[in-house]
């Protein structure tokens, strides 16, 4: 078992990417790139009658979307580990890939050392990410969060917080008690899942809630 080479297939529509990966991976003692393909239909046909340990799969292919193709590959060959290998760094695409059965998501600027570690990790049953991908998924973007429903008063206070006004000033201008203003501010932080006022305003801006 120790001497068994890990059988890898590459799916990418850029031949230069394929050649580079082949050279790097075949230089590793236990890796062997058995096949490479430039389209989704080719890899689907191949795995119907051939076993592959790992597939490095690009997102953008001429005849398929990589995230959907991943789901199809896993249906045909559940034992094959699929690692997405792409330039696309949107959090939604990364998460969709994992939902569709991918064992990991690496960006194409990943180092060979990181790639090797991730391939071994995927074969051990882990979900693997390169360092940059880990950073992307660790902080949800405003697009991933539902837009909170705000009351008229909350919108008003949000605007005033964005102007840098303190609770005391807001309370005075709106004829409210400072305690009431603080309660509204706490509710806003909770609704936006924000840690502080700066994060609250940044999220509100990204969600276009600060526009008149």
């Amino acid at each position: 078992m120790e001497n068994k080479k890990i059988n890898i297939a590459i799916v990418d529509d850029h031949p230069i990417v394929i050649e580079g990966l082949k050279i790097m991976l075949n230089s590793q003692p236990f890796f062997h790139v058995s096949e490479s393909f430039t389209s989704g239909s080719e890899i689907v046909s191949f795995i119907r009658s051939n076993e592959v340990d790992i597939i490095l799969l690009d997102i953008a292919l001429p005849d398929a979307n990589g995230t959907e193709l991943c789901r199809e590959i896993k249906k045909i060959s559940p034992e094959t580990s699929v690692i997405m290998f792409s330039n696309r760094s949107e959090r939604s695409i990364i998460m969709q890939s994992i939902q569709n059965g991918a064992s990991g998501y690496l960006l194409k600027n990943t180092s060979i050392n990181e790639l090797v570690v991730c391939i071994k990790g995927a074969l051990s049953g882990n979900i693997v990410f390169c360092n940059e991908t880990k950073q992307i998924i660790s902080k949800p973007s405003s697009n991933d969060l539902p837009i909170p429903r705000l009351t008229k008063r909350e919108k008003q206070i949000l605007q005033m917080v964005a102007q840098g006004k303190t609770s005391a000033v807001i309370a005075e201008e709106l004829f409210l008690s400072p305690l009431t203003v603080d309660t509204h501010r706490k509710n806003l932080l909770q609704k936006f899942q924000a840690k502080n006022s700066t994060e609250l305003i940044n999220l509100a801006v990204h969600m276009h809630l600060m526009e008149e």
Side-chain angles (χ1 to χ4, degrees):
M1 186 73 178
E2 280 298 312
N3 296 325
K4 182 181 179 292
K5 291 238 179 192
I6 293 163
N7 194 11
I8 301 170
I10 301 167
V11 188
D12 197 293
D13 63 340
H14 291 94
I16 196 162
V17 172
I18 290 175
E19 289 311 310
L21 283 171
K22 273 186 184 174
I23 292 165
M24 288 191 292
L25 292 172
N26 284 332
S27 70
Q28 300 297 311
F30 299 110
F31 290 172
H32 172 60
V33 179
S34 59
E35 296 291 338
S36 59
F37 307 97
T38 55
S39 72
S41 57
E42 290 172 324
I43 184 65
V44 167
S45 298
F46 182 77
I47 60 168
R48 287 190 193 281
S49 50
N50 297 275
E51 285 186 19
V52 184
D53 298 313
I54 290 276
I55 296 174
L56 291 179
L57 178 62
D58 194 8
I59 293 284
L61 295 166
D63 64 339
N65 173 298
T67 54
E68 295 306 317
L69 184 59
C70 175
R71 199 209 310 255
E72 191 175 349
I73 289 168
K74 292 299 287 184
K75 276 183 189 167
I76 299 165
S77 181
E79 297 304 308
T80 300
S81 295
V82 180
I83 298 177
M84 310 309 291
F85 193 69
S86 175
N87 283 324
R88 300 291 298 272
S89 60
E90 295 94 325
R91 187 179 188 277
S92 55
I93 291 175
I94 298 168
M95 301 315 287
Q96 185 64 55
S97 300
I98 303 304
Q99 263 186 329
N100 285 2
S103 294
Y105 198 106
L106 310 181
L107 298 179
K108 286 186 178 177
N109 59 2
T110 300
S111 69
I112 181 62
N113 291 339
E114 210 170 17
L115 179 56
V116 168
V117 168
C118 286
I119 288 173
K120 288 177 178 175
L123 286 170
S124 300
N126 299 321
I127 303 289
V128 297
F129 302 103
C130 62
N131 286 331
E132 200 176 329
T133 310
K134 282 179 193 167
Q135 288 173 5
I136 293 165
I137 62 171
S138 70
K139 38 187 180 186
S141 73
S142 57
N143 294 333
D144 300 308
L145 297 170
I147 294 175
R149 295 176 72 90
L150 303 181
T151 65
K152 209 169 184 178
R153 181 65 86 194
E154 283 170 343
K155 284 180 188 172
Q156 202 173 20
I157 290 173
L158 183 62
Q159 293 280 355
M160 295 174 93
V161 170
Q163 290 160 15
K165 293 179 179 177
T166 64
S167 292
V169 171
I170 295 170
E172 196 178 337
E173 291 187 15
L174 297 181
F175 305 104
L176 298 170
S177 75
L179 186 62
T180 302
V181 174
D182 281 337
T183 302
H184 281 304
R185 290 182 76 142
K186 278 178 192 165
N187 289 343
L188 284 166
L189 290 173
Q190 209 170 23
K191 284 186 176 184
F192 281 87
Q193 297 172 36
K195 292 190 277 292
N196 51 48
S197 294
T198 305
E199 192 176 329
L200 169 67
I201 299 310
N202 284 337
L203 285 167
V205 168
H206 282 302
M207 292 175 181
H208 308 290
L209 293 176
M210 304 306 291
E211 295 163 9
E212 291 298 329

